[in-house]
Amino acid sequence: MYLIGETTHGHHQIEMACNACHTSAFGGPEVIQSACIDCHGEELELAKDSHPKTKFSDPRNADRIDILDARYCVTCHKEHNEEIAGDMGLTLPEDYCFRCHEDIGEERETHKDLPFDSCASAGCHNYHDNLALYEDFLLKHADEPDFKHPAVTPARTKLATLAAVRNFAIMTSDQVHADVALDAIAGQEELVAQAHHDWSQSQHAHTGVNCLTCHAAEEGEAVEDDNNVTVLGLQTSNWVEKPSYEVCQKCHTDQVDGFLLGKHGMRLAHSLSPMKVSDAKIMMKTEAGHEELDCMSCHSAHRFDTVAAATDSCLTCHDSEHVNNYWGSPHGKLQQEVLAGVRATEEGVTCATCHMPRIEVSIGDSQIVMVNHNQNENLRPNEKMIRPVCMKCHSLEFSIDALADDELIESNFTGQPQQHIRSIDMALERDAKTNRTDKAY
Ligand code: HEC
Ligand code: HEC
Ligand code: HEC
Ligand code: HEC
Ligand code: HEC
Ligand code: HEC
Ligand code: HEC
Ligand code: HEC
Ligand code: HEC
Ligand code: HEC
């Protein structure tokens, strides 16, 4: 009733959680500002934000704030005004970079005759995240082949390794306890048999994650068995029919954290009902309208098959040109060869390779490779995909050109990029002329 207009595509799912942003009725602009920072601060920091608030608190830049008060997020990202919101919830006219950088043509010969509204064109600069676009990075990767050898994504780290590094126990048991399911849901022998069959071929069965680990309502006490393996003192009563993501969280915290940050899980993160496919703002298959999002949307109990999760599951819901062109693309064909067993898994390119990449993180002294379950983290601006994804297999230049080509994205990368972004050429030109001695690459 009090909502003054439609909330932007980024936040539409949590529109009804007013106090996620309006944390207090008092306090003025700082209240909303700190809400933005609470949810987005870390991601901007990791992206080494090129225009952080501190830049504008510097007295030497005070004149710029008169032009545009860039200390506040809402100067550029207003809310409840979907009509004026462009890509990424931006509510500013496109030539706004020029208002602060009008003398760039004098400073840099390469920029002399560029149009005012071209600074933030695809592949040139972003306002926040320039991790794949800054000058030294362009120079460092100037001479790479379009197709690298080997062209592979890294292998995932085993959970046991992560558990050892993080110092937590994976509670397992030698007993299957499927009989408890039979007692609990009497008359459903087939369902139980199917569950048992699927489960017995899964990684969970191989590692002793049994029926009650997920289906027991209450966790019993942890006890050590004769082989010093920690097992649950299992409760045989209170069979939970549909275990929620909170059960998975016991062992897969990173995946759950990521899931809750993106559009698949953001409603659950705010204690709202799960996202329903029919409430989506982007193209979805109508027959999936009733589906609600959780871990099982992609992993389906009880096989937990990660290969099907990486392509087939997505296609049950998503429905744009881009999505539907996937299997016919060169990447889709590579993946078919993986499925046919004539290529190594790591050479394949799935929907998940780009949208849920395997990321390398350092925990203590260990390098861990895990799947990023926030499929929005690298989506926009799309240059965020360059470093963690494309550059595993392609050159920087090829990646920049490909991602700047909207038609190529629509065809799901079928064919060569049809335009060339001159960023690397310009960096090389300037480098050759200035003879810089402070090269950091
Ligand atoms: C994702 C964050 C977010 C959510 C969720 C949200 N708002 Fe807002 N809202 C904003 C922002 C940002 C502004 C603009 C503040 C400004 O321009 O200074 C705003 C402005 C408003 C205003 C205009 C008055 C003002 O303070 O400027 C009203 C009224 C309002 N929101 C009501 C609501 C209601 C009611 C809900 C829940 C049904 C809601 N909002 C949910 C972010 C949000
Ligand atoms: C001067 C305008 C301006 C201000 C101020 C601003 N942004 Fe942005 N923001 C942009 C533009 C432009 C984009 C589009 C992508 C780009 O160029 O980086 C964007 C994109 C984003 C994105 C999408 C993902 C990404 O990494 O780019 C998020 C999230 C975001 N802004 C959050 C914030 C937050 C939080 C604040 C306040 C701390 C803020 N922005 C302040 C202009 C601004
Ligand atoms: C309660 C957490 C929360 C708050 C508060 C919040 N956001 Fe967001 N925001 C999200 C989530 C979740 C998404 C969707 C996932 C994504 O795009 O990363 C999102 C999306 C966005 C996007 C769109 C990114 C894209 O890819 O299109 C922008 C821009 C943005 N937020 C800026 C802001 C600004 C500015 C504020 C403060 C007015 C704010 N957010 C407040 C959680 C929040
Ligand atoms: C409100 C003023 C303002 C706006 C609007 C603005 N900038 Fe900046 N920008 C600055 C300031 C201040 C600096 C730091 C001092 C300098 O380099 O002039 C800076 C620095 C930069 C840098 C150097 C970054 C670095 O990490 O050293 C680039 C590139 C840049 N801006 C591009 C852009 C682009 C592209 C846009 C539009 C999407 C934009 N700026 C919009 C004020 C602004
Ligand atoms: C890793 C966690 C996990 C393990 C281990 C597990 N389950 Fe499940 N099970 C689930 C989840 C989650 C659901 C809900 C599925 C859904 O929402 O579609 C479920 C659903 C079920 C159902 C209802 C099926 C249906 O289609 O409605 C049965 C019966 C079942 N499990 C039996 C078992 C049996 C028997 C075992 C051991 C052999 C077992 N489960 C092991 C997570 C697990
Ligand atoms: C008691 C701990 C535990 C719980 C609870 C648990 N898992 Fe697992 N899960 C494991 C272990 C151990 C593996 C083996 C993976 C490995 O060694 O890297 C695994 C593997 C997986 C895999 C990868 C399978 C593969 O083929 O590589 C998926 C997907 C998965 N779990 C999803 C879930 C989901 C979804 C839930 C919640 C319904 C869940 N798990 C609950 C311990 C658990
Ligand atoms: C949008 C689809 C999707 C959803 C939703 C999803 N996953 Fe995944 N998950 C995948 C894909 C795809 C892979 C494998 C990617 C690969 O092999 O590169 C994966 C891998 C995993 C793995 C393997 C271990 C690793 O290295 O990360 C675990 C564990 C897992 N998921 C747990 C979960 C849990 C728990 C949830 C719910 C919070 C969840 N997943 C929700 C698609 C999904
Ligand atoms: C059960 C249905 C379902 C499945 C399965 C599913 N998604 Fe989604 N996906 C959604 C919904 C619903 C949204 C939210 C759309 C919205 O808010 O408008 C979404 C959002 C997204 C977005 C963000 C779109 C945006 O514009 O911000 C991406 C990217 C995405 N999904 C990729 C995938 C990938 C990749 C897979 C498979 C690994 C997958 N999805 C599996 C339903 C699904
Ligand atoms: C080679 C990398 C790559 C592959 C493979 C890929 N995508 Fe994308 N996807 C992108 C890029 C880049 C965008 C555009 C982001 C932007 O600029 O807005 C995108 C956009 C999207 C979007 C949001 C816009 C839309 O079309 O609705 C969804 C959802 C999505 N992809 C799902 C999928 C699914 C599902 C698959 C597999 C069938 C897939 N993608 C395969 C790179 C990829
Ligand atoms: C795991 C490696 C891998 C990753 C990651 C990858 N690609 Fe590719 N890509 C390939 C291979 C190999 C081919 C050639 C396939 C063939 O022709 O059989 C290819 C082909 C292409 C083509 C078509 C070229 C042509 O001439 O038809 C484009 C465009 C492309 N990739 C863009 C991208 C972009 C953009 C990304 C990042 C979002 C990306 N790729 C990520 C391996 C990868």
Side-chain angles (χ1 to χ4, degrees):
M1 196 166 112
Y2 296 102
L3 209 55
I4 50 174
E6 209 175 319
T7 306
T8 53
H9 70 92
H11 299 132
H12 79 100
Q13 291 192 24
I14 55 167
E15 184 174 77
M16 284 306 150
C18 313
N19 59 5
C21 298
H22 302 284
T23 50
S24 156
F26 310 100
E30 298 301 338
V31 171
I32 292 259
Q33 180 75 8
S34 58
C36 308
I37 303 286
D38 272 356
C39 290
H40 293 289
E42 199 183 328
E43 122 199 32
L44 291 180
E45 212 174 292
L46 287 174
K48 299 202 164 64
D49 191 356
S50 302
H51 296 87
K53 193 173 179 178
T54 46
K55 239 178 203 171
F56 300 101
S57 313
D58 185 333
R60 280 170 300 176
N61 293 324
D63 55 326
R64 318 264 184 119
I65 303 170
D66 295 337
I67 308 175
L68 199 75
D69 194 349
R71 291 171 305 171
Y72 292 100
C73 316
V74 292
T75 302
C76 306
H77 302 284
K78 302 206 181 343
E79 254 315 341
H80 314 311
N81 206 342
E82 177 75 331
E83 301 78 46
I84 60 163
D87 259 7
M88 290 168 271
L90 192 65
T91 47
L92 276 185
E94 275 187 2
D95 64 349
Y96 70 96
C97 310
F98 176 71
R99 295 204 233 160
C100 289
H101 294 293
E102 58 184 341
D103 45 8
I104 188 69
E106 289 154 32
E107 280 167 30
R108 287 176 184 249
E109 210 176 314
T110 48
H111 284 58
K112 223 177 201 156
D113 300 314
L114 298 177
F116 297 157
D117 59 357
S118 68
C119 325
S121 306
C124 294
H125 300 285
N126 289 319
Y127 184 76
H128 297 297
D129 185 341
N130 287 293
L131 279 182
L133 302 171
Y134 65 90
E135 204 167 356
D136 283 336
F137 190 73
L138 298 174
L139 289 169
K140 185 174 172 193
H141 296 279
D143 306 309
E144 288 171 342
D146 284 357
F147 295 85
K148 291 186 184 172
H149 293 285
V152 290
T153 50
R156 296 183 338 230
T157 308
K158 284 271 166 213
L159 187 64
T161 311
L162 181 64
V165 173
R166 285 264 176 83
N167 201 15
F168 70 84
I170 306 166
M171 297 190 182
T172 55
S173 165
D174 291 341
Q175 280 178 280
V176 179
H177 287 117
D179 50 330
V180 186
L182 273 179
D183 286 348
I185 44 174
Q188 303 276 7
E189 284 78 9
E190 258 174 57
L191 272 185
V192 176
Q194 184 67 44
H196 185 225
H197 172 264
D198 290 346
W199 170 84
S200 63
Q201 296 171 24
S202 73
Q203 287 292 329
H204 286 138
H206 295 312
T207 44
V209 177
N210 81 347
C211 317
L212 284 186
T213 315
C214 293
H215 285 283
E218 276 169 68
E219 208 172 271
E221 245 172 75
V223 289
E224 281 197 356
D225 71 4
D226 301 342
N227 308 318
N228 294 334
V229 177
T230 314
V231 294
L232 289 174
L234 293 164
Q235 308 275 317
T236 48
S237 58
N238 299 336
W239 173 264
V240 176
E241 217 175 301
K242 284 190 182 247
S244 79
Y245 73 90
E246 279 150 330
V247 166
C248 321
Q249 206 160 14
K250 285 192 275 188
C251 302
H252 303 303
T253 39
D254 300 284
Q255 288 77 12
V256 175
D257 289 351
F259 169 77
L260 294 175
L261 286 171
K263 287 220 176 121
H264 289 147
M266 69 190 281
R267 282 181 59 85
L268 290 170
H270 295 282
S271 309
L272 299 164
S273 58
M275 178 62 183
K276 241 176 100 187
V277 172
S278 54
D279 292 336
K281 285 204 170 184
I282 56 174
M283 297 280 285
M284 291 282 162
K285 301 226 157 72
T286 34
E287 58 274 26
H290 62 281
E291 298 276 356
E292 292 185 335
L293 273 139
D294 64 13
C295 309
M296 297 310 136
S297 303
C298 302
H299 289 300
S300 76
H302 293 86
R303 289 189 310 267
F304 299 93
D305 170 358
T306 53
V307 177
T311 52
D312 297 349
S313 78
C314 325
L315 286 161
T316 60
C317 294
H318 287 280
D319 195 25
S320 61
E321 286 282 315
H322 163 78
V323 170
N324 295 326
N325 284 329
Y326 165 74
W327 279 120
S329 73
H331 291 146
K333 288 179 184 145
L334 278 180
Q335 184 59 16
Q336 286 170 30
E337 289 172 23
V338 169
L339 297 176
V342 295
R343 246 180 215 285
T345 319
E346 274 65 39
E347 291 177 60
V349 181
T350 64
C351 312
T353 307
C354 294
H355 293 292
M356 303 176 65
R358 297 176 183 184
I359 45 171
E360 287 145 291
V361 287
S362 309
I363 302 174
D365 297 333
S366 310
Q367 285 295 316
I368 303 286
V369 177
M370 57 174 91
V371 177
N372 185 353
H373 275 65
N374 175 1
Q375 76 299 325
N376 276 88
E377 186 161 302
N378 69 7
L379 187 64
R380 283 181 293 259
N382 66 29
E383 290 90 357
K384 283 185 175 179
M385 270 186 207
I386 293 177
R387 287 179 72 152
V389 184
C390 315
M391 281 180 76
K392 294 267 182 294
C393 307
H394 298 289
S395 67
L396 175 60
E397 186 164 48
F398 180 81
S399 310
I400 291 178
D401 288 351
L403 289 168
D405 185 337
D406 287 340
E407 280 172 36
L408 198 55
I409 294 175
E410 193 170 299
S411 70
N412 217 315
F413 307 97
T414 305
Q416 287 281 310
Q418 291 306 306
Q419 53 178 318
H420 175 55
I421 305 299
R422 293 197 62 252
S423 299
I424 292 182
D425 311 339
M426 282 158 76
L428 286 170
E429 274 166 38
R430 189 167 105 102
D431 192 51
K433 275 201 192 129
T434 49
N435 229 338
R436 292 197 304 153
T437 51
D438 61 338
K439 284 179 192 168
Y441 59 93

